[in-house]
Amino acid sequence: MRRSLALPYLRWCLACAIEKTGRKTLLAALFPIILAGYWQAYLTPENNQLIADNAGLRQQLNKPLTVFPQRENNALTLQRALNDTEYQQVKTLFDIFQQNHLQVDGSHYQFNKKGKNQQRALALTIPLQGEWINLTRSLNTMSKSLIFSVDRLSISRASPDSAHLQINLQLTLNLASRLEPS
């Protein structure tokens, strides 16, 4: 019996609202509310997935990881060992870290032996300090402009509630001896 009263009551309330505001005004006012509700319902699964991914990352970061000892390197020696184009690629790598607020604590490099038909490569060990999001942004930017592969990534932090990380990144940078047209 109560259901039969609810529908006519809602119709009466809607008719009163339309009479007071006008049909166009009422629809214009309801449109953002309906759109916000749809948007929230659409983004809820993605938002839940991101929260779960972040929880998984936090759990992984709670585990202590090994960090290699820092090694000293002379930038002038590296510049002499590379031609201008190759040195520019290495400089770009370090500029990307600086732009993304990662502190580089020195680096160690070693040239990989070239075989037949292989591109010249430089193995780099780079100790960094910074936050996780800055590291991911740096790697994403590097993937757009440089040819490299991450050989090893070790991360540690002083305390579980700290966002500041000690990062040791080992990567192999494939060097282009000259710029080739795209």
Side-chain angles (χ1 to χ4, degrees), residues 54-65 132 155 157:
N54 284 342
L57 287 173
R58 276 192 216 106
Q59 187 177 16
Q60 288 176 359
L61 289 175
N62 283 337
K63 298 176 186 174
L65 299 172
W132 175 256
I155 301 172
R157 58 183 171 182

Side-chain angles (χ1 to χ4, degrees), residues 100-118:
N100 288 300
H101 309 290
L102 289 172
Q103 180 183 348
V104 178
D105 295 330
S107 65
H108 175 70
Y109 67 92
Q110 177 180 352
F111 287 98
N112 290 345
K113 295 180 181 179
K114 288 195 310 185
K116 291 183 180 179
N117 299 329
Q118 283 188 334

Side-chain angles (χ1 to χ4, degrees), residues 124-157:
L124 291 158
T125 302
I126 308 168
L128 302 163
Q129 291 184 24
E131 294 185 7
W132 175 256
I133 190 71
N134 296 337
L135 176 64
T136 57
R137 284 183 188 142
S138 296
L139 292 174
N140 188 25
T141 305
M142 288 168 36
S143 69
K144 294 177 183 174
S145 59
L146 299 169
I147 302 170
F148 72 100
S149 61
V150 175
D151 301 326
R152 186 175 191 159
L153 176 66
S154 58
I155 301 172
S156 65
R157 58 183 171 182

Side-chain angles (χ1 to χ4, degrees), residues 66-86:
T66 59
V67 175
F68 293 97
Q70 295 181 7
R71 299 175 183 158
E72 294 292 325
N73 186 16
N74 187 352
L76 189 58
T77 307
L78 178 62
Q79 188 173 6
R80 282 189 223 137
L82 300 171
N83 67 31
D84 290 342
T85 305
E86 293 170 338

